[in-house]
Amino acid sequence: MKLIGAGAPTLSDREVPVEPIQLADVNNDGSLDVITATCDGLGGVVWYENPRGHGGNAASDTWTRHIIEAPVDWYCGHDVLIGDLNGDGKLDVVIRVEDGPTIVYFQNGPDSWSKVVLSNADPGGGAALLDVNRDGKLDIVENGYWLEQPADPVHSEWIRHDFASWPNHSGVMVGDVNNDGRPDVVLLPADASGRISWFEQPADPVNGVWVEHVVLDPANYVHRVRLGDFNKDGTLDIAFAELRLSTTQRIGVLYNNGFGASWDLQVLATNAPGHNIAIADIDSDGDLDILISDFAVGNLEIWRNNINNGAGTIPQPTITSTPVNPPTRSAPASASPRAQP
């Protein structure tokens, strides 16, 4: 696998997979490693060791490949999650296989892992880690249910708690939408038409009712969303992109106007599909920007948040597009940035 770009490090002789990857310090040497799960027999579940952790050069030295599980033809890690699930100080790996099982790999050491297949998880897509019941252990949230980590997560059953009826192919994100101190769950339709909703976590997440709050209806083929405070008003907003299968192919931001009670939609572009979406302060100006890519189109774009580029208090940002790789695209006339005050 090679990372594309000038001076990119060679990890092995395989090409970069289209499956999700994660960055984390697997072996606790102070440097970020790469974790991925490929399909079609390419590479299995693996992590690539950053040579910087042992004094090497990350840009030119070989990244050593460590196998968590050898290639299996039906493995296609639609979701790859990293976290210390059992609190032993070592990072574990969770994958939700596309149309297959959810699997947890507990790390015994960087080259030794215990595999647990969660038999009561639906085949599909979409997952997130969250300590739902606040017992100090990370649970797994999927499409309308969460799997509670037991005292013995390797040998005991993970109890399933259903809180909503939702398609198996979904997107899942977690965050405290209404600022009540309890993280909520955002669900979206990954491979169909539907709606984006957030489900309010009750005080008792096991026996209480998770109230659904519809954010956007209709929403079409929204593979992933990201939660962040884009207008810096102290509440979480939702950035989203629709797939090429969508009739609208929107990139947009849904602004939280009152702890999840109402939302404003800002459409940044139409006919601009996005399969994956990420957020970060790319230009180091103190606000969150958006990155999107779509494997079918081959684009990688930065949507730059301009909220901090003006003077005074600016509760509503304008966002402009910067293509990173061809095909290039400037922000189209259909983009509708929110008005400046």
Side-chain angles (χ1 to χ4, degrees), residues 11 33 39 43 107 115 265 295-296 329:
L11 305 189
D33 309 301
C39 55
Q107 183 184 165
K115 176 183 176 181
L265 169 63
F295 66 89
R329 182 190 296 122

Side-chain angles (χ1 to χ4, degrees), residues 235-258:
T235 59
L236 288 178
D237 311 306
I238 301 174
F240 72 95
E242 295 175 320
L243 291 170
R244 70 193 187 285
L245 298 172
S246 167
T247 56
T248 49
Q249 297 183 6
R250 293 172 294 183
I251 302 169
V253 179
L254 292 154
Y255 293 96
N256 185 344
N257 283 331

Side-chain angles (χ1 to χ4, degrees), residues 130-257:
L130 176 66
D131 181 7
V132 180
N133 55 350
R134 299 174 289 282
D135 64 352
K137 300 189 295 291
L138 288 173
D139 309 300
I140 301 173
V141 183
E142 298 192 341
N143 50 286
Y145 62 90
W146 60 281
L147 301 171
E148 180 181 352
Q149 183 180 164
D152 182 351
V154 175
H155 301 100
S156 299
E157 180 183 4
W158 290 56
I159 299 174
R160 173 168 168 158
H161 303 278
D162 290 87
F163 62 85
S165 177
W166 204 266
N168 287 359
H169 290 274
S170 64
V172 182
M173 286 296 293
V174 295
D176 187 0
V177 175
N178 58 351
N179 282 5
D180 66 352
R182 297 189 295 269
D184 308 296
V185 177
V186 178
L187 297 180
L188 41 139
D191 292 332
S193 296
R195 64 192 183 278
I196 298 175
S197 291
W198 70 277
F199 290 83
E200 183 176 351
Q201 183 181 159
D204 181 352
V206 175
N207 301 303
V209 176
W210 293 63
V211 177
E212 178 180 1
H213 303 268
V214 177
V215 179
L216 181 64
D217 187 5
N220 302 301
Y221 295 89
V222 182
H223 191 248
R224 298 193 191 281
V225 300
R226 290 293 181 260
L227 305 183
D229 186 2
F230 292 96
N231 56 359
K232 304 180 73 171
D233 67 351
T235 59
L236 288 178
D237 311 306
I238 301 174
F240 72 95
E242 295 175 320
L243 291 170
R244 70 193 187 285
L245 298 172
S246 167
T247 56
T248 49
Q249 297 183 6
R250 293 172 294 183
I251 302 169
V253 179
L254 292 154
Y255 293 96
N256 185 344
N257 283 331

